[in-house]
């Protein structure tokens, strides 16, 4: 199960932190990621975290502004989003992927519900 939260409305340049609580996975074999989708476009991978290696991935459009992290209890992943831009407006989903590579490709086997992020003045 995955439960996402933290979306909202923020002005350009602002910050938000998304959280995704998860359970029920043998996490070693998987990666967890944040993905986003806007109308009429495919869902894209934003950031991924590999449970086995701790490697992280960021889409070029968010590199340097977003940070993915896993809490100490290893049951929640956060996405800290800074310097938000109107182009970041989307529905954000967390998902579990079989492998880091699949996460980077935007492929996930399990999805949480989406949370809407709106960046607007």
């Amino acid at each position: 199960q995955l439960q996402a939260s933290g979306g909202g409305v923020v002005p350009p340049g602002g910050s938000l932190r998304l959280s995704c609580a998860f359970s029920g996975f043998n996490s070693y074999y998987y990666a967890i990621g944040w993905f986003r989708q806007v109308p009429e476009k495919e869902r894209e991978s934003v950031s991924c975290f590999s449970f086995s290696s701790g490697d992280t991935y960021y889409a070029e459009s968010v590199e340097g502004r977003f940070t993915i992290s896993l809490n100490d209890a290893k049951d929640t992943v956060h996405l800290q989003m800074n310097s938000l831009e109107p182009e970041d407006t989307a529905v954000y989903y967390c998902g579990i992927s079989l492998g880091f590579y699949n996460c980077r490709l935007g492929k996930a086997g399990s999805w949480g519900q989406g949370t809407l992020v709106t960046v607007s003045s």
Side-chain angles (χ1 to χ4, degrees):
Q1 290 185 336
L2 301 115
Q3 183 74 31
S5 62
V9 181
V10 62
S15 297
L16 279 176
R17 190 173 84 152
L18 305 182
S19 298
C20 178
F22 60 90
S23 63
F25 300 96
N26 185 344
S27 60
Y28 183 83
Y29 299 101
Y30 295 88
I32 190 165
W34 286 97
F35 308 83
R36 67 187 181 188
Q37 189 169 23
V38 297
E40 302 183 349
K41 289 192 175 181
E42 291 188 359
R43 194 174 302 185
E44 64 174 355
S45 178
V46 175
S47 182
C48 299
F49 178 89
S50 169
F51 288 115
S52 61
S53 66
D55 288 345
T56 57
Y57 160 79
Y58 298 97
E60 185 176 349
S61 59
V62 307
E63 181 81 49
R65 300 187 296 121
F66 291 10
T67 303
I68 193 169
S69 62
L70 184 66
N71 70 339
D72 290 344
K74 294 182 171 55
D75 60 5
T76 303
V77 65
H78 301 289
L79 185 69
Q80 178 65 43
M81 306 186 295
N82 298 329
S83 302
L84 282 161
E85 303 169 352
E87 292 74 22
D88 296 316
T89 296
V91 178
Y92 284 72
Y93 300 86
C94 60
I96 294 285
S97 304
L98 184 58
F100 190 59
Y101 182 68
N102 281 328
C103 184
R104 293 182 58 174
L105 292 177
K107 299 178 180 179
S110 297
W111 297 99
Q113 87 287 2
T115 184
L116 178 62
V117 172
T118 302
V119 184
S120 175
S121 55

